[in-house]
Amino acid sequence: MRRTTAAALALAALVGGWLLLFEREAGESEDGTPVFQVEEEAIAAVTLERPEEPPVRLAAESAGFVVTVGDGEPAPADATEADNLLQNVVSLRSRRRLGERDAEELAGFGLAPASLVVRVEAEGRVLDPVGFGAETPTGGNRYLLRAGSVLVVPAFAHDNFDRDGWDLRDRRVFRFDGVSPLAHRLRLVADGEAVELRRDSGVWRIVEPFAFAADSFGASQLATRLLDARMTGLVEAGSEAAEAAEGLEAPRLVAELGVVVGEDDAAAGRTVRFGGASRSPPGVFARLDGDPTVFVVPTPLVEELSGAVAGELVAVRSLSVFGFAAFRAVELVVEGPEGLTRFERRDGDGGREWVVDVGDGTGPVVVDGVAVDDLLYALTSMEADDVGGSALPAEGDAWTVGVREESFGPDAEEEAAGPEAEAAGPRPERVRFRVGDAEVQALRAGDARTLVIAGAAWGEFLNLFQAAAARPE
């Protein structure tokens, strides 16, 4: 080994040993003393500064927090990120105070200059800024400069403050400050074709391209996907990407989202236009009506919405023939070629029981309640195989099945008017059937298309219906 190399190694070991000794033994223990000595509620602004980069400022306003990068325009801040940053200010604590150091020592600590400076404004004054330096030789800690004095803080504290403007920004596409919005309308237009979903009394329905019951879970998921959409990037005005985003004037997809907000369910709405593909960051250019800001959203979101238009909302169409809850049914009316049969649930001497009236003048008779329940559950599980035409076939036997549910609300008397009254509501509680030789088709109340039902499902209904209507010997 050459002498110069050996000398260098010896010097490095000596310096390392000195730093290790210095780290362990020098300084005054502070045992978790708060660095800023401030309450979270008192913080008005936090500014993060890095060498040769524009400062990032988070400031409190009446409606929340805004974030500003350099001389740019303030943008809404993410509430969670803002709260986290304030909590990090309050929770920043010193493990040890090393005292004042000269310029050479500060450079050795990585504090000349600091890699990250944090300035806090609270109660009308600017607190002493702090600057983060290098990690300590033993690891797990980092040097911090405050008011000319070097402190030792946990190493993770630097990561807690290592935020840029994009990290702190509210990236939601749709913002409704101070409230939790609930989607009630979704209209999508692509290539001149339109589809629309609407929610009424908690139930989703398709209203375009034709009226049809929607699977409430699937419809809610689709609307929520758009409502919860987040930006993956912003497009700087005047940039090359901004010019490429001009396709938004003739968008590939337009989405109108209607929501209700607040305790009084006030209606609000937003329209977003989706344009061409973005390469960096990857995604699709988008812009809200009335806002010049161009941003980027994930490609899968736009593909899902576009697919919903191309498929005319096939994925969210409900193929359930009935929508009532079997345990809440209090009346079942079945009208077929041989007449009308009415099942009614009432309170009898032995508790709740089902009675049936076949309209022959003999009056209601108590029947097997289990058989009636089996019939009701079979109806609630009846599923169509496909969507048919715009009207029931002219040929075949005509059947009508209506169900009335019990009500627990203040309007119970009005809702007890019968299945015909329920037919005007959003739920398909009255269904007409046409039974032909080849297939069975059904038309729910409010639908503009029929449902095609397998013969086996209809056969099961007939068998259960006969068993439920059988009079006891």
Side-chain angles (χ1 to χ4, degrees), residues 44-214:
V46 179
T47 302
L48 307 175
E49 301 174 357
R50 299 172 181 82
E52 301 181 1
E53 292 185 20
V56 177
R57 186 172 188 268
L58 178 76
E61 290 194 347
S62 58
F65 285 87
V66 295
V67 58
T68 307
V69 179
D71 297 328
E73 293 294 324
D78 182 273
T80 300
E81 290 292 338
D83 287 342
N84 287 341
L85 187 61
L86 298 190
Q87 291 171 15
N88 291 332
V89 168
V90 175
S91 62
L92 180 60
R93 297 178 181 274
S94 170
R95 288 179 170 174
R96 189 162 60 258
R97 179 180 297 274
L98 306 183
E100 296 184 358
R101 292 292 187 269
D102 58 30
E104 184 176 352
E105 288 177 308
L106 292 179
F109 293 139
L111 293 168
S115 60
L116 173 63
V117 174
V118 181
R119 301 182 187 275
V120 177
E121 301 172 34
E123 299 176 334
R125 61 191 180 93
V126 179
L127 308 183
D128 290 331
V130 302
F132 285 92
E135 287 197 27
T136 61
T138 56
N141 292 321
R142 188 179 285 269
Y143 297 114
L144 187 80
L145 181 64
R146 179 177 184 272
S149 184
V150 178
L151 309 177
V152 176
V153 298
F156 63 78
H158 175 273
D159 298 335
N160 290 343
F161 289 96
D162 191 15
R163 298 287 183 268
D164 59 20
W166 181 246
D167 293 330
L168 297 174
R169 183 187 175 97
D170 187 343
R171 304 181 201 177
R172 291 176 298 169
V173 173
F174 301 98
R175 291 188 303 102
F176 300 91
D177 294 329
V179 295
S180 296
L182 182 64
H184 75 90
R185 176 178 177 266
L186 174 62
R187 179 178 172 82
L188 305 170
V189 181
D191 298 326
E193 302 295 327
V195 297
E196 184 173 340
L197 288 163
R198 289 189 183 180
R199 184 179 60 83
D200 184 25
S201 300
V203 178
W204 283 94
R205 288 191 61 82
I206 299 170
V207 297
E208 196 175 355
F210 51 80
F212 204 76

Side-chain angles (χ1 to χ4, degrees), residues 198-242:
R198 289 189 183 180
R199 184 179 60 83
D200 184 25
S201 300
V203 178
W204 283 94
R205 288 191 61 82
I206 299 170
V207 297
E208 196 175 355
F210 51 80
F212 204 76
D215 175 77
S216 286
F217 178 78
S220 179
Q221 286 288 94
L222 185 63
T224 302
R225 283 271 287 132
L226 180 60
L227 179 61
D228 293 342
R230 289 184 171 271
M231 308 174 190
T232 58
L234 293 173
V235 177
E236 184 178 350
S239 66
E240 181 179 347

Side-chain angles (χ1 to χ4, degrees), residues 322-407:
F322 291 91
F324 67 90
F327 69 92
R328 290 190 56 185
V330 294
E331 186 179 54
L332 169 64
V333 180
V334 180
E335 185 174 6
E338 298 181 1
L340 183 146
T341 302
R342 183 185 303 274
F343 298 87
E344 186 177 5
R345 196 182 77 186
R346 69 183 187 184
D347 293 328
D349 295 336
R352 288 187 173 184
E353 60 188 16
W354 281 96
V355 297
V356 64
D357 188 346
V358 296
D360 58 0
T362 60
V365 176
V366 177
V367 292
D368 184 355
V370 174
V372 178
D373 288 339
D374 289 343
L375 173 60
L376 290 170
Y377 281 108
L379 290 175
T380 59
S381 61
M382 184 182 289
E383 293 280 331
D385 292 336
D386 199 0
V387 176
S390 58
L392 289 173
E395 302 296 327
D397 292 337
W399 289 74
T400 300
V401 178
V403 179
R404 178 167 60 88
E405 294 177 288
E406 63 184 335
S407 175

